[in-house]
Amino acid sequence: MSNEAEVFRRAFEDTIALHERMKGDAVPALRAAEAIVNVLRAGGKVMLFGNGGSAADAEHAAAELVGRFRRDRPAFAAMALTTNASVLTSVSNDYAFEQVFVRQIEAFGRPGDVAVAISTSGASPNVVSALAAARRRGLSTIALTGRDGGAAGRAADIHVNVPSDSTPRVQEVHRTLLHVICDVVEGALA
């Protein structure tokens, strides 16, 4: 077998194994979905954030909630805190990169909203700081993490952990988890 074929085979084996491991404990993801359903029913909003690939996952999940996942239904109030380049760069320049999500939570977060942090390491300072800011403002907090969950996992009300050190594999499972959460939310509210 060529090296490329081995890389291909191994990627699928590893992601399938991690998905199999995760499907044994639906409780954290279903608790996250329930929290989001409760926030949206009460007229609140979902604020999602993360760095790099997790930023893309935050944007993707926000799009599924605002637009649609599988069903035509009214739009749900969701926003990714990763999309405004002017805010991200000005806050990073004028304060610190650690504050890019904090300032947006302070600007847009209201008691009863939910902050959803996505971090494959669970250690990103700007994500951990945003979870702390969300708590101070009375938001519910959810963290999707990898590895052992790190400080982000410990800071969240609901912790959905994918116990792997492989960033790509964690991201793949995070995407599945976010799709499940969106599907459950949409089914409950549509």
Side-chain angles (χ1 to χ4, degrees), residues 20-102:
E20 284 290 335
R21 184 175 178 185
M22 289 302 297
K23 84 175 186 182
D25 185 12
V27 172
L30 295 179
R31 284 186 60 223
E34 179 183 25
I36 291 169
V37 166
N38 291 339
V39 163
L40 293 173
R41 274 193 179 132
K45 68 184 153 306
V46 181
M47 303 170 71
L48 302 105
F49 51 93
N51 296 299
S54 297
D57 286 342
E59 293 172 23
H60 180 94
E64 301 286 24
L65 293 170
V66 171
R68 60 174 281 180
F69 183 68
R70 295 188 317 152
R71 301 166 181 93
D72 288 324
R73 40 88 179 154
F76 301 144
M79 60 191 295
L81 305 184
T82 55
T83 60
N84 189 325
S86 296
V87 168
L88 296 173
T89 57
S90 68
V91 171
S92 294
N93 184 64
D94 295 347
Y95 296 94
F97 187 65
E98 188 175 315
Q99 297 296 306
V100 296
F101 303 134
V102 169

Side-chain angles (χ1 to χ4, degrees), residues 57-178:
D57 286 342
E59 293 172 23
H60 180 94
E64 301 286 24
L65 293 170
V66 171
R68 60 174 281 180
F69 183 68
R70 295 188 317 152
R71 301 166 181 93
D72 288 324
R73 40 88 179 154
F76 301 144
M79 60 191 295
L81 305 184
T82 55
T83 60
N84 189 325
S86 296
V87 168
L88 296 173
T89 57
S90 68
V91 171
S92 294
N93 184 64
D94 295 347
Y95 296 94
F97 187 65
E98 188 175 315
Q99 297 296 306
V100 296
F101 303 134
V102 169
R103 294 293 288 182
Q104 293 181 80
I105 296 265
E106 291 172 348
F108 305 116
R110 300 294 176 260
D113 290 344
V114 65
V116 180
I118 308 169
S119 174
T120 59
S121 70
S124 303
N126 60 349
V127 169
V128 174
S129 295
L131 285 167
R135 273 220 164 138
R136 286 191 302 272
R137 292 190 67 80
L139 280 72
S140 299
T141 56
I142 298 168
L144 274 73
T145 66
R147 299 189 178 131
D148 68 355
R154 291 187 297 276
D157 298 319
I158 299 170
H159 182 205
V160 184
N161 179 247
V162 179
S164 172
D165 292 334
S166 172
T167 297
R169 302 298 81 87
V170 170
Q171 289 172 331
E172 290 156 1
V173 176
H174 278 177
R175 179 65 59 92
T176 300
L177 289 165
L178 288 165

